[in-house]
């Protein structure tokens, strides 16, 4: 019987006994004569099946000889379509534990977790280094104490003092109308003045003008020969705000007994100061003390 076609027997598998007896009668007693007289058997021709016969199940007459009465069928089994429709198997990795996910169902590690682990490792390493340094320092101190037992404890462990940084504060501003260089020829003052010197009488003139606000007292500093009228001076005094403070700078000029006088006027309602225009004062001594002989505008003198 054919191993790969279990449906029909072949000539090789089954021989009819009657055919065998009839066949033996026609043969000669000497088998060699039969082989010598009989023609040589020809092998059957094999025709390969077509694609339709192989894959569509189309039957075709492919007998080996006249005794093969069975209908020829495809000798190749049909393909198993289920093998092509079956999804491929995938390995079950749900229970596999890996280094990235030590537990089943655990979420994958993220970049933040990796950074956190790196931070923990860095902190642990730093703490170990600090601990080793501290241990080394303690060992060094202990070794020093063991070498010299007479070292006082205060020297072995000196007290640490924290020194505060010096605070730099700006020096206070000098009071209004302070002479920066009192030893030179330039005088900065707002004193009442006197008639003992040329600078003293000019100082008295300015004080009576801005502090006393009295034109009669101002005229007393002039030369009596000028016959100054207080009524012509008082209106200018009244224009100065009440309570104003003055500061005069008296500087000698190139001519004898002549001085250039400038100043600043500080209003009571403001921290700002206003400049006072320059005037040329000419002075002269008298039996009653120094006196003012003229007060001029420098522009008028130049003209």
């Amino acid at each position: 019987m054919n191993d790969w076609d279990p449906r029909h027997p072949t000539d090789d598998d089954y021989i009819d006994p009657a055919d065998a007896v009839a066949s033996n009668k026609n043969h000669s007693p000497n088998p060699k004569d039969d082989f010598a007289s009989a023609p040589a058997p020809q092998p059957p021709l094999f025709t390969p099946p077509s694609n339709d016969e192989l894959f569509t199940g189309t039957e075709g007459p492919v007998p080996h000889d006249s005794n093969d009465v069975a209908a020829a069928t495809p000798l190749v089994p049909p393909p198993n379509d289920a093998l092509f429709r079956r999804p491929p198997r995938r390995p079950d990795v749900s229970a596999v534990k890996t280094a990235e996910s030590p537990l089943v169902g655990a979420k994958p590690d993220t970049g933040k977790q990796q950074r956190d682990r790196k931070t923990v490792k860095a902190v642990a390493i730093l703490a170990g280094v600090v601990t080793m340094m501290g241990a080394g320092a303690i060992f060094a101190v202990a070794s020093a104490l063991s070498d010299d037992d007479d070292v006082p404890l205060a020297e072995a462990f000196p007290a640490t003092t924290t020194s505060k940084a010096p605070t730099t504060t700006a020096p206070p501003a000098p009071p209004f109308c302070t002479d920066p260089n009192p030893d030179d020829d330039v005088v900065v003052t707002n004193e009442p003045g006197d008639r003992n010197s040329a600078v003293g009488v000019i100082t008295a003139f300015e004080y009576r003008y801005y502090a006393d606000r009295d034109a009669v007292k101002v005229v007393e500093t002039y030369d009596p020969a000028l016959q100054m009228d207080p009524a012509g001076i008082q209106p200018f005094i009244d224009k100065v705000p009440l309570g104003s403070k003055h500061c005069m700078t008296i500087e000698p000029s190139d001519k004898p007994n002549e001085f250039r006088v400038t100043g600043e006027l500080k209003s009571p309602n403001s921290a700002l100061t206003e400049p006072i225009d320059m005037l040329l004062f000419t002075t002269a001594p008298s039996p009653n003390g120094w006196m003012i002989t003229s007060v001029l505008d420098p522009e008028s003198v130049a003209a």
Side-chain angles (χ1 to χ4, degrees), residues 255 258 280 296-303:
K255 297 179 180 181
E258 184 181 74
L280 286 177
L296 302 174
D297 188 355
E299 295 181 358
S300 62
V301 174

Side-chain angles (χ1 to χ4, degrees), residues 109-294:
D109 196 2
T110 60
K112 181 178 182 300
Q113 294 175 352
Q114 294 178 1
R115 290 193 298 271
D116 293 343
R117 287 200 296 269
K118 292 180 180 179
T119 304
V120 172
K121 291 181 181 178
V123 172
I125 294 173
L126 181 60
V129 172
V130 172
T131 303
M132 293 176 63
M133 293 174 62
I138 294 174
F139 178 76
V141 173
S143 300
L145 291 178
S146 63
D147 294 340
D148 189 1
D149 296 337
D150 297 336
V151 177
L153 185 61
E155 295 182 6
F157 298 95
T160 58
T161 58
T162 57
S163 59
K164 296 183 179 180
T167 57
T168 57
T169 57
F176 179 68
C177 199
T178 301
D179 193 349
N181 299 310
D183 297 333
D184 58 2
D185 295 336
V186 180
V187 178
V188 179
T189 181
N190 59 357
E191 297 295 330
D194 51 36
R195 302 187 71 172
N196 297 329
S197 63
V199 174
V201 71
I202 296 174
T203 302
F205 174 92
E206 301 291 353
Y207 187 87
R208 296 177 182 186
Y209 189 98
Y210 292 104
D212 294 337
R213 303 175 64 87
D214 190 348
V216 175
K217 293 183 178 180
V218 171
V219 170
E220 292 176 355
T221 61
Y222 276 95
D223 182 1
L226 298 176
Q227 298 181 355
M228 299 293 297
D229 185 7
I233 302 174
Q234 191 62 44
F236 295 97
I237 296 176
D238 295 339
K239 292 180 181 180
V240 179
L242 185 63
S244 297
K245 297 180 180 180
H246 70 286
C247 182
M248 309 310 297
T249 300
I250 305 171
E251 180 181 2
S253 66
D254 298 337
K255 297 179 180 181
N257 299 328
E258 184 181 74
F259 299 86
R260 293 188 294 267
V261 180
T262 58
E264 293 179 344
L265 188 65
K266 186 175 181 180
S267 175
N269 298 326
S270 175
L272 301 178
T273 59
E274 297 180 2
I276 299 175
D277 295 336
M278 179 185 294
L279 294 175
L280 286 177
F281 281 75
T282 304
T283 60
S286 69
N288 297 326
W290 286 82
M291 57 184 180
I292 298 173
T293 58
S294 66

Side-chain angles (χ1 to χ4, degrees), residues 69-82:
V69 297
T73 58
L75 303 181
V76 179
N80 190 354
D81 295 337

Side-chain angles (χ1 to χ4, degrees), residues 1-13:
M1 183 176 292
N2 214 339
D3 294 337
W4 53 272
D5 191 6
R7 293 172 296 175
H8 302 287
T10 61
D11 292 340
D12 298 335
D13 299 328

